[in-house]
Amino acid sequence: TLGYRVLYASTPKLFSKLKMAKADGSYLKEVAKIERQELLILDDFGIQPFDAQSRAALMEIIEDRHGKTSLIITSQLPVSKWYDVIGEKTIADAILDRIVHSAHRIELKGESMRKKRRTDDKEVSYQ
C-alpha cells in the first residue's frame, strides 16, 4: 500500500450515519474522522435529494476539504442535475462552486460494467 488514508462511502449511507451521529452526540467525532482522510470517495452521489441536515453536513465536509485534501464523487446523475438534488439555492451554489470549478471530470459512456458482467456470467456454461 502507499499509505494514503482513504474513506470510501455510499453517499446516502454516509449522510444517514451522520444523522444518527447527530442524534447520539458523536457527530463531531464522525466529521473529524472524515476530515483526517487524505481522500474521500462519495459513491452514488445524487441518488436521493439532500434534506436540510444532509445538505448542511455536505457543505461542512466540502468546506473542510476544499483546497486541502482530495475528493472523488461518482454519480449516475449528470452534474447539471446536482444543483436540484442538493436543493436550497445558496448552499447548492456554494457546494458546487467548491466542487465543480477545480474538478477533473471523467464522464464514462457505454454500458454499465455490472450489466456487462451479468451478461458474461450467463454465457459461461458449466459442465
Side-chain angles (χ1 to χ4, degrees), residues 5-60:
R5 291 184 313 273
V6 178
L7 175 64
Y8 164 87
S10 157
T11 302
K13 287 180 184 175
L14 176 64
F15 287 97
S16 178
K17 182 178 180 178
L18 289 175
K19 277 184 193 173
M20 288 189 286
K22 199 109 173 168
D24 73 15
S26 64
Y27 180 80
L28 293 176
K29 182 177 142 196
E30 289 297 325
V31 170
K33 178 180 160 188
I34 294 168
E35 275 181 44
R36 285 193 302 271
Q37 307 308 308
E38 293 165 294
L39 171 62
L40 172 62
I41 302 170
L42 293 178
D43 194 15
D44 293 330
F45 187 89
I47 282 187
Q48 59 193 42
F50 287 85
D51 61 17
Q53 194 172 349
S54 296
R55 196 170 28 250
L58 177 63
M59 180 64 202
E60 185 176 353

Side-chain angles (χ1 to χ4, degrees), residues 51-114:
D51 61 17
Q53 194 172 349
S54 296
R55 196 170 28 250
L58 177 63
M59 180 64 202
E60 185 176 353
I61 290 167
I62 298 301
E63 181 63 31
D64 288 344
R65 303 188 72 74
H66 184 66
K68 298 178 214 152
T69 54
S70 298
L71 173 66
I72 294 175
I73 298 175
T74 69
S75 181
Q76 300 272 340
L77 196 65
V79 173
S80 62
K81 305 265 190 224
W82 289 10
Y83 187 86
D84 295 329
V85 168
I86 295 170
E88 212 309 324
K89 290 169 51 169
T90 306
I91 295 175
D93 280 339
I95 290 169
L96 291 175
D97 184 55
R98 286 164 179 78
I99 293 174
V100 175
H101 297 298
S102 60
H104 298 278
R105 286 177 53 188
I106 301 170
E107 292 189 37
L108 304 178
K109 302 210 184 307
E111 264 191 286
S112 161
M113 290 303 291
R114 288 183 189 109

